[in-house]
Amino acid sequence: MQVLGIDFGGSGIKGALVDTETGELVTERIRIPTPQPANPDLVIPVMKQLAQEFSYNGPIGVGMPSRVLDGIVTSAANIDDAWINYPGQEAIAQATGCPVTLLNDADVAAIAEIHFGAGRGEKGIVMVFTLGTGIGSSMFVHGHLVPNLELGHLYLRGQKLDAEYYASDRIRQEKEMSWKKWGRRLNVYFQHIEFLFSPQLIIIGGGVSKKHAKFLPYLDLRARVTPAVLRNEAGIVGAAVAAITEEN
Ligand code: BGC
């Protein structure tokens, strides 16, 4: 089946048709810059435009950087606050005329990795983290997704400061940190995660995961740690798969 997956991120809204059997993109990826402010009134028309560009009329999966409960968006860490308590799933469905499944971006990336990537065939507790503007987090327990984890907002070392302001890739770039310094920060973060959840496998995604050789050596964990396989495409692929598999 060919399904439209949409990845709504802070800087771009990306979409492509995905073969949900193989996890491969069957069209080019279209990227439209995220309008500012990134509120529903400006963002939803972009999703409609994407569906039109693909002349698409079928189930659509969308991932966005928020908690999403029963189609209602309940947080907005790096996008406009107008999304909070907004019925995003229904509004996108109305605008596009298609059935929509709206989920958290890290959850859809994890769905993609479990189906087609580094988590394939893995049992037990598998956690997926996306390191980017924020820190996205997701967990599969014996093949079942625990949705809407928000572990980028954990406090570390007794400080009232979200972990993503300490260890996200954005912070690495803004503070021009060496890989060693950032790697050590990630180690603090992941050791705490390991203490709390005891995962067997930690998959690290986000754009920076392609540079994994530079920071993975600083992680001293019991869990196996591996870079994501799908990288850039995980959001689109996972959203498309979620559109036909997840119950909402
Ligand atoms: C948001 C999460 C999101 C993550 C990655 C965090 O700031 O709270 O919902 O998954 O960023 O985009």
Side-chain angles (χ1 to χ4, degrees), residues 64-67 75 77-78 104-106 130 134-137 149-150 153 164:
M64 68 179 290
S66 306
R67 282 190 315 255
S75 71
N78 293 302
N104 170 263
D105 56 0
T130 58
I135 295 182
S137 55
L149 286 191
E150 283 287 345
H153 301 285
E164 69 180 25

Side-chain angles (χ1 to χ4, degrees), residues 6 13-15 30 32 46-54:
I6 296 179
I13 301 175
K14 293 149 271 177
I30 298 182
I32 298 173
V46 173
M47 296 181 183
K48 179 178 176 186
Q49 184 188 340
L50 279 175
Q52 284 171 342
E53 299 225 11
F54 290 109

Side-chain angles (χ1 to χ4, degrees), residues 129 135 151-152 154 156 163 185-193:
F129 292 86
I135 295 182
L151 301 177
L154 268 186
L156 294 173
R185 285 190 173 202
L186 284 177
N187 193 42
V188 170
Y189 178 62
F190 285 122
Q191 284 193 347
H192 191 50
I193 293 287

Side-chain angles (χ1 to χ4, degrees), residues 31-88:
R31 180 185 188 279
I32 298 173
T34 303
Q36 299 299 334
N39 62 30
D41 287 351
L42 295 182
V43 166
I44 292 177
V46 173
M47 296 181 183
K48 179 178 176 186
Q49 184 188 340
L50 279 175
Q52 284 171 342
E53 299 225 11
F54 290 109
S55 308
Y56 183 78
N57 185 14
I60 301 177
V62 181
M64 68 179 290
S66 306
R67 282 190 315 255
V68 185
L69 298 176
D70 300 326
I72 312 287
V73 179
T74 66
S75 71
N78 293 302
I79 51 172
D80 196 84
D81 279 355
W83 284 97
I84 297 176
N85 295 324
Y86 186 83

